[in-house]
Amino acid sequence: MIKPVTSFARARWEGIRASYWFIPVCMMFTAFLLGYTLIYYTPEVVSEAVFKNLIPPVPAEEASDLISAIATSIITATSIAFSMTLVALTMASSQFGPRLLQTFMDDRGTQCVLGILTSTFIFCLSALHRISVSDTDMVISSVLSLIVLAIGIADTLVLIYYIHHIARFIQVDEIINRCYRECTDNLKNLFALTDEEKGHHRLAPALINDSPFTTHLSLDEAGYIQTIDYLSLLSGDGIDGVKVYVRAGDYVVPGETIITVHSSEQLSSDSRDFYLSCFVPGKRRTSLQDPEFSLTQLVEVALRALSPGINDPITAMTCADRLTAVCLLMSGCEFPCDTVMKSDVDVWMQRRTYTFESVLNTAFDQIRQAGSSHVDVMLHLLGCLKTLKEKLPEEYKGTIQKQVEAVNDLAAPHLHCEKDRKDVAAAVNAAATV
């Protein structure tokens, strides 16, 4: 069997795309090529009339001094930008949680600014290398001086933008909004069905028959499951079906059974490798197939805000508002079925999957537990749950009511005055009667 590469490639591309080095390196390579292109084609493009009328003549020695000064200034500005980035990352890690670092690293504005500054330095080095040649033409030195001067002015504006960008980026409301946008942007990719998946139909678990051979497979390494290639699992020849015990986001240890293959004959070694290759483990969770991952980032901000050291219930309530909006959006999505069959090959698959109940519990359980001593937070949670009950279909109201009762149970021991007891009772009653 040919091992699937789609899931592996997606997981690796996600790691590369979210790194700090990818965009800057691409921009530096582009600047290097652009520098040498300008050097060799400038005399052909710039006519004598244009040179005399529009471009100030700059001898090679003066051009070299100018470009050296700008290159020195740019590398100094780059070191300042990197220092500001490290300070922002340190603040984010200590105040909002270490897992929020990925949100900072995903920021395209920061990556592009670092790329522009380092690319300018590379361009200046290319220009200095060409101007150092003894027979440098006046046209080349003049054009390069003008271009480098314009780039230096542009980089000054970029640095001003970067200071403004970092100042906004470390504000808690901006961080919460970015986490919320990441949640909503991932919904289409997480719940969109491909043409092949639309050909799968639901199957009642009771209709699954036992097979002569069952093979239990496990990974040799520990890690978080980042992606699972479900389409490839259903495309195997000579099998009846598979049972998948893990889902994206789960942590697995060596030797833990992650899949059982049901077949009419013993699996070959190549087939075992094929099915294991459908699972891509990694060092951390990602949002590729894990709808709860982005939710946990908002939850972590709320938990940090509720810690005794920070004690910021307003931030926790803001996170609860965003989580309510995400739950409303997810309720309109079609969650994957736990048991399906591929009709053209009659291969079935039973798997652990996500449900709206698991999403709701992920969103509110830990905030409810951490905020039990904050009456205002508990009242706000009851208001969010009331909103969900009003907006969601009848099938979800039982799940939401469990959350309402849990909030009431946790808040009760911390209600030390009559007004708080009346407010919580009124909020519970309002949510229960929706």
Side-chain angles (χ1 to χ4, degrees):
M1 291 185 178
I2 300 176
K3 293 184 179 181
V5 297
T6 305
S7 297
F8 180 82
R10 285 182 61 195
R12 294 299 173 263
W13 168 246
E14 179 69 14
I16 294 174
R17 183 195 62 82
S19 63
Y20 255 160
W21 60 265
F22 179 67
I23 289 181
V25 166
C26 290
M27 296 179 72
M28 290 167 62
F29 183 71
T30 302
F32 181 79
L33 294 179
L34 181 62
Y36 271 88
T37 300
L38 286 173
I39 288 168
Y40 287 106
Y41 289 99
T42 292
E44 300 179 10
V45 175
V46 180
S47 63
E48 189 71 22
V50 171
F51 174 67
K52 289 182 178 179
N53 297 326
L54 299 178
I55 301 176
V58 180
E61 290 186 3
E62 284 77 0
S64 179
D65 293 340
L66 174 64
I67 296 174
S68 297
I70 292 178
T72 303
S73 302
I74 291 300
I75 201 63
T76 303
T78 303
S79 64
I80 294 173
F82 273 102
S83 300
M84 292 173 60
T85 302
L86 291 176
V87 170
L89 291 176
T90 303
M91 285 186 58
S93 178
S94 60
Q95 186 169 355
F96 305 118
R99 273 154 294 281
L100 264 295
L101 290 180
Q102 192 58 48
T103 301
F104 281 79
M105 294 185 68
D106 285 344
D107 180 50
R108 291 291 174 268
T110 302
Q111 295 177 8
C112 289
V113 168
L114 297 179
I116 289 171
L117 295 177
T118 52
S119 298
T120 301
F121 182 69
I122 295 298
F123 184 87
C124 290
L125 292 182
S126 302
L128 284 174
H129 177 263
R130 179 62 182 86
I131 290 177
S132 63
V133 179
S134 58
D135 59 345
T136 300
D137 190 272
M138 178 74 77
V139 175
I140 294 177
S141 62
S142 301
V143 171
L144 287 179
S145 299
L146 184 62
I147 292 174
V148 171
L149 179 63
I151 293 176
I153 295 173
D155 283 354
T156 304
L157 299 177
V158 167
L159 188 60
I160 295 172
Y161 158 78
Y162 184 66
I163 295 172
H164 166 76
H165 179 71
I166 286 292
R168 287 186 65 242
F169 198 80
I170 60 177
Q171 297 176 16
V172 65
D173 288 333
E174 180 68 19
I175 293 172
I176 292 173
N177 185 53
R178 283 178 176 271
C179 293
Y180 170 74
R181 289 209 312 267
E182 183 179 341
C183 284
T184 55
D185 291 343
N186 287 336
L187 290 182
K188 292 182 180 179
N189 296 329
L190 286 169
F191 295 100
L193 295 177
T194 63
D195 293 336
E196 287 188 69
E197 289 173 328
K198 292 177 181 178
H200 303 164
H201 62 267
R202 294 173 181 266
L203 183 68
L207 297 178
I208 295 176
N209 298 320
D210 293 333
S211 301
F213 292 92
T214 55
T215 307
H216 305 284
L217 303 177
S218 60
L219 294 172
D220 295 329
E221 57 180 314
Y224 290 95
I225 299 296
Q226 294 183 338
T227 60
I228 302 174
D229 194 339
Y230 292 111
L231 292 178
S232 296
L233 289 176
L234 283 170
S235 64
D237 297 329
I239 67 168
D240 299 324
V242 294
K243 286 186 179 180
V244 181
Y245 302 108
V246 296
R247 63 187 183 184
D250 286 348
Y251 185 80
V252 297
V253 297
E256 178 184 354
T257 299
I258 61 173
I259 181 175
T260 297
V261 181
H262 295 252
S263 58
S264 55
E265 57 185 24
Q266 194 69 39
L267 281 186
S268 64
S269 177
D270 289 342
S271 296
R272 289 169 179 261
D273 293 340
F274 170 80
Y275 288 110
L276 287 177
S277 65
C278 295
F279 298 82
V280 180
K283 295 181 290 185
R284 62 180 182 88
R285 294 175 66 177
T286 67
S287 58
L288 287 176
Q289 287 183 343
D290 186 359
E292 295 179 1
F293 173 73
S294 298
L295 284 177
T296 57
Q297 292 185 310
L298 281 170
V299 171
E300 184 169 3
V301 174
L303 296 179
R304 288 288 178 128
L306 292 172
S307 65
I310 298 178
N311 193 24
D312 182 12
I314 302 297
T315 295
M317 289 188 280
T318 303
C319 292
D321 290 333
R322 295 293 192 177
L323 289 167
T324 302
V326 173
C327 288
L328 284 172
L329 292 174
M330 283 192 176
S331 67
C333 300
E334 183 179 354
F335 285 82
C337 183
D338 58 354
T339 307
V340 296
M341 173 174 278
K342 189 175 182 182
S343 53
D344 56 344
V345 293
D346 289 334
V347 176
W348 55 264
M349 176 172 61
Q350 195 171 29
R351 57 186 172 180
R352 285 187 65 230
T353 185
Y354 296 92
T355 63
F356 179 77
E357 183 175 3
S358 69
V359 168
L360 187 70
N361 291 338
T362 299
F364 290 102
D365 277 354
Q366 294 186 71
I367 298 178
R368 182 188 71 243
Q369 295 156 5
S372 59
S373 61
H374 295 267
V375 179
D376 52 348
V377 173
M378 303 306 272
L379 286 170
H380 195 80
L381 287 180
L382 289 170
C384 293
L385 293 170
K386 178 177 177 290
T387 301
L388 288 174
K389 286 189 76 173
E390 289 174 343
K391 303 293 184 182
L392 296 182
E394 189 70 29
E395 60 184 295
Y396 297 132
K397 290 189 176 181
T399 301
I400 300 171
Q401 183 58 33
K402 293 178 182 178
Q403 287 286 341
V404 173
E405 294 170 358
V407 171
N408 186 35
D409 293 341
L410 278 178
H414 302 281
L415 303 177
H416 302 299
C417 69
E418 187 62 27
K419 181 181 183 303
D420 288 345
R421 285 192 287 269
K422 288 182 178 180
D423 289 343
V424 171
V428 171
N429 184 62
T433 55
V434 173

